[in-house]
Amino acid sequence: MIVPLFPLHAVLFPGGRLPLRIFEQRYMDMAKACLKSEEPFGVCLIAQGEEVAQRGGLAAEPHEIGTLARIAEWDMPTLGVLEVVAEGGDRFRIRRRWVEASGLLRAEVEPIPPPPVLPVPGPYARLVPLLRAVVADMEKGAPNAPAAPHRFFDAHWLGMRYAEVLPIPSLARQKLLELDDGIDRLEIIYRYLEGKGLLPDL
């Protein structure tokens, strides 16, 4: 499939929500087209370059794996600034990309099929109560509160949600996004939290 790309200094995960402020004309046009057609765009972490292109500058170079996004909410409280909440769908891999005359990146992408539900193995059950508390707090009004339904029983979902909220660099989030093995993702997160002394006793 062919989608417009929105390179950012942020990572969107499947099932996650990402607030965005859009003011560049190329992305305003992209958002309007996606709202009208109800089609997704691709969110990718920037590997090199900037979100806002300088006059005559090169387009941002994205990482190869990103996440399809749909606009779940939008508003324009200030003229010329579109505020949206992007909701993450499936991951994808970029096969080829090009820059249009407007400066918008577009790419041919291969969607990565969502993994089947994977029960959380017993050793990682200690991760569940902490995330439940974090999500409950986010649901009090945070625009990036994860989309329902919540699947605390699913190792893939659990790992993705932790990858969103942990105070880690964007590149580390990208590496967690790229992992196909949900247990490997949980292991990395478990060791991180254990090292920080943040895991509750069961």
Side-chain angles (χ1 to χ4, degrees):
M1 61 188 300
I2 294 175
V3 296
L5 297 182
F6 200 160
L8 296 167
H9 288 299
V11 178
L12 175 64
F13 288 85
R17 288 163 64 89
L18 182 66
L20 300 171
R21 297 180 77 251
I22 300 173
F23 52 88
E24 280 194 86
Q25 191 59 49
R26 55 181 169 167
Y27 296 126
M28 291 280 277
D29 293 342
M30 178 200 75
K32 290 175 185 176
C34 288
L35 280 167
K36 184 176 181 180
S37 65
E38 298 185 348
E39 292 183 350
F41 59 95
V43 171
C44 297
L45 179 68
I46 292 174
Q48 186 174 340
E50 299 297 329
E51 290 180 3
V52 179
Q54 304 300 316
R55 185 178 298 275
L58 298 175
E61 181 179 331
H63 282 269
E64 184 181 86
I65 292 179
T67 303
L68 293 173
R70 294 184 184 274
I71 297 174
E73 301 173 21
W74 69 274
D75 192 11
M76 189 179 281
T78 303
L79 186 64
V81 179
L82 182 64
E83 296 187 358
V84 308
V85 176
E87 190 168 302
D90 292 340
R91 297 179 301 156
F92 64 81
R93 180 175 284 102
I94 295 174
R95 289 307 184 193
R96 63 186 182 95
R97 55 184 168 83
W98 59 95
V99 183
E100 297 184 334
S102 65
L104 182 71
L105 271 174
R106 200 172 289 272
E108 178 184 348
V109 304
E110 177 187 358
I112 299 172
V117 171
L118 178 65
V120 177
Y124 302 107
R126 293 174 68 195
L127 293 170
V128 175
L130 178 59
L131 187 65
R132 281 189 182 276
V134 171
V135 170
D137 190 59
M138 293 173 72
E139 288 184 322
K140 294 176 182 178
N144 62 332
H150 299 155
R151 302 199 306 272
F152 294 100
F153 54 84
D154 181 1
H156 294 292
W157 189 92
L158 189 71
M160 295 283 191
R161 301 291 74 79
Y162 263 111
E164 289 172 340
V165 300
L166 289 178
I168 56 178
S170 293
L171 187 57
R173 293 192 209 283
Q174 178 68 25
K175 297 302 182 185
L176 290 172
L177 174 71
E178 292 176 2
L179 284 175
D180 291 323
D181 191 314
I183 303 302
D184 285 350
R185 188 182 294 112
L186 281 189
E187 173 67 15
I188 292 168
I189 291 164
Y190 187 95
R191 295 304 174 197
Y192 175 87
L193 291 171
E194 187 178 49
K196 299 289 186 181
L198 296 174
L199 285 177
D201 294 326
L202 288 179

